[in-house]
Amino acid sequence: MTYDPAKDGAESYNAALKAIRMQKIRDGEIIPIVREVTIGNCRLIQGDCIEVMETLGKVDAVVTDPPYGLMGAATEKNSYKTFNDNPETVKSLVCSVLKWGKFDRLVMTPGQNMMFKYPEPSAVGVFYYPAGTGSCSWGFVGWQPIYYYGKDPILQDGRGRASNSFYATDSAEKNGHPCPKPIKQWQRLLARSTRVSETILDPFMGSGTTLVACAKMGRSGIGIELDPDYFDIACERVRKAYEQPDFFVASPEPKPVQEELL
Ligand SMILES: C[S@@+](CC[C@H](N)C(=O)[O-])C[C@H]1O[C@@H](n2cnc3c(N)ncnc32)[C@H](O)[C@@H]1O
């Protein structure tokens, strides 16, 4: 390996600037939150997740759908507005979230393109797409990986063993984001990996599917998104989710009342 003064010097300089900025964020001298909106039990933040997470306390679980590092393979229709979906950038972002570590569990859909670039998870599941989700060098892609880090909450609660994979037939709504996850599919993942009343963080919120699922399923959500337009879409969707509660999710039981003795 040879030292390239122009390239390596610039990289070291940028790394040093970044380290100073992160320290200032930890010290509370810089606030990385561009915008923040609270709707019901959901807190939506516009900003860079790595910086914003320095300001957050521990959560129960991170459930997220990070970018897939598809730069080059993405078409204009499915590429992001502000984010450079380069595999090296995505790897560094996701590894920083894993290193942040203030969670009991982390569940993510890494995408097939990036799945071998991350630390080994505790378990791997799949979303199986009988109709395919796109094409690759060996025909149609029929599944996407789900990575689970940490302990299974269903086993921990003594509720037996549950499947970590899902048959995925729903399609996502068109909402202005290039790759939103279908809400029903994401609700199944949230039901599998989190408990009612837990606090769930999605550092790559996009159009807010994780927070919509939290709103419908009695969880508290924190979502972070870099892009201002996707952030606005997420706020609107979470607002609507609170206006239209899910008929399939039971409302909290009324507290038992002691009957008068006759
Ligand atoms: C795969 S998309 C998530 C889509 C989401 N699951 C949905 O249903 O809409 C990943 C998102 O991460 C965002 N992103 C990329 N880098 C980020 C960063 N450093 N901080 C916060 N968000 C980021 C992108 O703008 C993109 O919206």
Side-chain angles (χ1 to χ4, degrees):
M1 214 166 96
T2 49
Y3 177 74
D4 174 348
K7 182 172 167 286
D8 297 339
E11 269 175 22
S12 310
Y13 179 73
N14 287 339
L17 282 185
K18 194 168 172 200
I20 293 170
R21 181 168 166 86
M22 291 303 271
Q23 188 55 50
K24 288 192 170 175
I25 290 169
R26 278 191 285 275
D27 293 344
E29 283 176 43
I30 297 180
I31 306 291
I33 296 175
V34 180
R35 267 192 296 168
E36 176 168 353
V37 175
T38 299
I39 306 163
N41 289 331
C42 289
R43 180 177 172 204
L44 295 91
I45 299 168
Q46 187 200 327
D48 178 326
C49 64
I50 303 306
E51 296 191 351
V52 172
M53 284 163 70
E54 283 301 322
T55 69
L56 300 180
K58 184 174 174 293
V59 295
D60 296 298
V62 173
V63 179
T64 193
D65 173 34
Y68 297 150
L70 290 177
M71 194 183 80
T75 63
E76 207 170 295
K77 194 173 118 250
N78 67 6
S79 63
Y80 300 115
K81 281 192 188 150
T82 49
F83 176 67
N84 176 6
D85 197 11
N86 165 322
E88 283 315 306
T89 312
V90 173
K91 177 180 175 184
S92 143
L93 275 171
V94 172
C95 289
S96 301
V97 174
L98 282 162
K99 241 164 93 188
W100 177 69
K102 293 193 221 164
F103 48 79
D104 290 337
R105 272 152 277 139
L106 183 146
V107 179
M108 68 167 170
T109 43
Q112 287 198 5
N113 196 41
M114 297 294 296
M115 65 182 286
F116 297 112
K117 297 187 187 293
Y118 299 137
E120 193 177 316
S122 321
V124 181
V126 302
F127 279 122
Y128 172 58
Y129 298 93
T133 55
S135 55
C136 66
S137 55
W138 276 61
F140 291 114
V141 176
W143 62 280
Q144 288 295 342
I146 307 169
Y147 276 12
Y148 298 91
Y149 295 87
K151 293 200 174 139
D152 178 346
I154 295 186
L155 261 185
Q156 279 189 310
D157 294 349
R159 292 191 283 140
R161 291 187 182 275
S163 176
N164 59 19
S165 297
F166 308 87
Y167 211 72
T169 49
D170 319 288
S171 38
E173 64 175 57
K174 286 194 171 55
N175 64 21
H177 189 279
C179 50
K181 276 279 180 284
I183 181 65
K184 289 279 178 236
Q185 179 179 326
W186 215 243
Q187 281 185 250
R188 271 175 229 130
L189 185 62
L190 228 73
R192 175 67 187 84
S193 58
T194 68
R195 302 177 177 98
V196 174
S197 305
E198 284 192 334
T199 299
I200 319 301
L201 168 68
D202 184 351
F204 303 102
M205 174 172 70
S207 63
T209 308
T210 305
L211 271 71
V212 171
C214 284
K216 287 173 175 283
M217 297 170 69
R219 276 82 168 151
S220 298
I222 304 173
I224 310 170
E225 173 55 46
L226 198 60
D227 184 284
D229 295 340
Y230 304 155
F231 177 81
D232 286 340
I233 295 170
C235 290
E236 193 49 34
R237 290 183 74 210
V238 173
R239 218 167 266 129
K240 280 200 182 126
Y242 275 107
E243 280 165 16
Q244 304 162 351
D246 200 327
F247 291 118
F248 299 104
V249 176
S251 326
E253 292 280 317
K255 288 213 173 98
V257 183
Q258 175 76 56
E259 297 284 329
E260 291 271 328
L261 290 175
L262 290 175

